[in-house]
Amino acid sequence: MDLIPHLAHPLPVTVICELVGVPESERPNWSAWSAVLTDGHTGTALGDALHALITSAHTLVDHHRAGPRDDLISALLAAHDDPLTPAETVALILNLVFAGHATTVNLIANGIAALLTHPGQLALLRDDPTLAPDTADELMRWCGPTPRALPRYATEDLRLGPCLIRKGEAVLPVLAAADRDPRAHRDPERLDITRTRTRPGSPQVGFGHGPHRCIGDHLALVEAQVAWTALWDRFPDLRLAVTPDELVREAHPNSWKLTGLPARLHR
């Protein structure tokens, strides 16, 4: 089976739908629309999916206003100090769908592939499940799904090392380069799920940093940990169905993602 459509893809969107209160009958549609938004589609397909998702989200917000529930949307609408407008609430929902889906899907898939091709590291995790948080951090560093951030523009002249950056010039932060910087991570090309324990203080920046850090980082890491530990608890003899060299990655400038993850399940 291909673990991307059967595990990595449905898990994050299901969690997001649960958080925001999407009815179960609507979740297959949300899953399909979110896939269009995050898989690089353009033109009519992208426009149709975005329009459908926005329309459904507005309907969802209206229903929550009429009958509050125990979920994120109702909590946001009930805020008294600074309540969100309907448009702001819909924008937040779309942000959760896009960011939570694209990053987490690829983190789960990349992590499975990395562990399957590094059996020694997988054995460490299976022998000591308390390594799950450290494993998630290390896999985000070593095979994170977001190799670069959005462009920034200098607000003044500044010098970084030998480079002079003029006011107004674009700067493209490469997160993958920072996470493989030997000044921050000893032997950075080596996958080591005990790295955080043996050398604290050098966190990965796969989710960004400071005010630009992803607001859903904790959710993504927890979802990935649950996916990996549950997968091997249920299928301890899980193996790749292809050689590592046969795994194909999509040529995309803003994401590090597999086009498929064929695996054999043995119970």
Side-chain angles (χ1 to χ4, degrees), residues 148-263:
R148 70 184 194 186
L150 296 174
R152 309 285 193 259
Y153 294 88
T155 58
E156 60 184 40
D157 291 352
L158 72 153
R159 185 175 293 277
L160 289 178
C163 300
L164 176 62
I165 301 172
R166 300 289 187 184
K167 179 179 179 179
E169 289 183 340
V171 177
L172 187 63
V174 182
L175 304 176
D179 277 335
R180 295 294 182 103
D181 188 343
R183 294 169 297 181
H185 305 282
R186 185 180 304 160
D187 194 8
E189 299 300 322
R190 180 171 59 89
L191 178 63
D192 178 7
I193 65 172
T194 67
R195 184 182 299 274
T196 304
R197 292 187 178 183
T198 57
R199 193 185 179 199
S202 296
Q204 49 84 13
V205 295
F207 289 105
H209 182 69
H212 299 289
R213 187 173 175 88
C214 173
I215 62 172
D217 57 345
H218 294 294
L219 178 61
L221 291 173
V222 168
E223 288 181 51
Q225 293 171 50
V226 170
W228 299 329
T229 54
L231 181 63
W232 271 286
D233 282 347
R234 185 169 182 181
F235 302 104
D237 296 320
L238 178 75
R239 297 287 186 273
L240 283 176
V242 297
T243 66
D245 291 340
E246 291 177 298
L247 292 175
V248 178
R249 294 194 178 274
E250 183 177 306
H252 194 288
N254 293 320
S255 63
W256 180 242
K257 59 188 293 187
L258 291 161
T259 59
L261 186 55

Side-chain angles (χ1 to χ4, degrees), residues 30-117:
W30 278 57
S31 180
W33 297 330
S34 64
V36 173
L37 294 181
T38 58
D39 286 348
H41 291 273
T42 59
T44 302
L46 177 61
D48 290 347
L50 189 57
H51 180 268
L53 192 55
I54 291 173
T55 300
S56 182
H58 272 292
T59 300
L60 192 66
V61 171
D62 291 341
H63 287 169
H64 279 68
R65 283 187 177 278
R69 307 167 193 178
D70 183 19
D71 54 37
L72 180 61
I73 293 180
S74 294
L76 292 171
L77 294 175
H80 297 294
D81 294 336
D82 189 18
L84 297 178
T85 66
E88 289 171 334
T89 307
V90 168
L92 178 59
I93 293 171
L94 294 182
N95 192 38
L96 284 171
V97 170
F98 183 80
H101 184 181
T103 300
T104 312
V105 169
N106 296 327
L107 174 59
I108 291 172
N110 289 351
I112 293 171
L115 291 170
L116 286 174
T117 53

